[in-house]
Amino acid sequence: MDYDLDELWHVAGILNEALALLKGEEKRLVEHRAGREREYGSGDGAGSSGQTLIGLGEMTTGLRASIDGLALYAGFTALGLEKRAEGEGGRLRLEPRCVPSGTNRMARPLSEATVRALQLLRELDTFFAGGFADRIDEALAAPRATYPPADWEAYRRQGCGARRRRPERPELG
């Protein structure tokens, strides 16, 4: 299972740029939230400042893990550790954990930095398995935060909350 190093370089660059945007947004919100929490309370519903920060944290964690996986694959390959590289290579095409689903927690309108990060990540639709750009488009179009739901029972009746099946991984060339 060989990857084109130019492709990996391109993917890593996009992931790193999106990560920087989301980390900057997370820092800005933490600083902004510190003063407002004393006035308004933390809130824990969908779109609250706390849930927005959780969503950003989930997305940054997922992007870091994807970047780490790319680096491990490239390093194992460069060192001639084919079996180790193969293990990492099999995970490379899985979309970053909690991207874009972390936006389900976030207040609307989404910040400019968050929108830009998601637009950058959208460019990786052909790299990641199964409909990554479609999920980003849905997140960008959502008029409001949807998670956590106000009514958990209604949420479950809609079939939400069940583990999503991972899409089939595309053949690698």
Side-chain angles (χ1 to χ4, degrees), residues 35-104:
R36 297 192 73 200
E37 236 179 53
R38 284 188 287 275
E39 289 178 49
Y40 304 109
S42 62
D44 59 356
S48 69
S49 60
Q51 289 296 325
T52 297
L53 282 170
I54 290 170
L56 281 167
E58 288 176 348
M59 290 195 297
T60 59
T61 298
L63 292 179
R64 276 190 200 102
S66 291
I67 293 167
D68 291 350
L70 286 169
L72 284 170
Y73 174 79
F76 290 148
T77 300
L79 295 172
L81 301 170
E82 288 81 17
K83 289 219 182 263
R84 298 288 306 268
E86 188 176 314
E88 287 303 318
R91 289 183 281 275
L92 285 181
R93 300 265 182 192
L94 299 176
E95 68 187 51
R97 189 172 55 85
C98 297
V99 174
S101 66
T103 58
N104 293 341

Side-chain angles (χ1 to χ4, degrees), residues 64-171:
R64 276 190 200 102
S66 291
I67 293 167
D68 291 350
L70 286 169
L72 284 170
Y73 174 79
F76 290 148
T77 300
L79 295 172
L81 301 170
E82 288 81 17
K83 289 219 182 263
R84 298 288 306 268
E86 188 176 314
E88 287 303 318
R91 289 183 281 275
L92 285 181
R93 300 265 182 192
L94 299 176
E95 68 187 51
R97 189 172 55 85
C98 297
V99 174
S101 66
T103 58
N104 293 341
R105 296 177 178 274
M106 298 173 72
R108 301 303 194 275
L110 295 171
S111 72
E112 210 172 288
T114 301
V115 169
R116 178 67 185 131
L118 289 170
Q119 288 170 336
L120 282 168
L121 292 169
R122 194 181 184 292
E123 295 177 31
L124 301 178
D125 183 53
T126 57
F127 183 79
F128 292 118
F132 187 56
D134 291 340
R135 282 188 290 288
I136 289 174
D137 290 344
E138 289 171 17
L140 289 170
R144 65 188 170 298
T146 59
Y147 193 86
D151 182 348
W152 281 98
E153 203 49 48
Y155 183 74
R156 286 185 190 99
R157 281 192 305 269
Q158 292 174 353
C160 301
R163 293 188 140 218
R164 188 176 84 201
R165 275 190 56 217
R166 288 217 181 262
E168 295 294 318
R169 283 188 273 168
E171 290 298 316

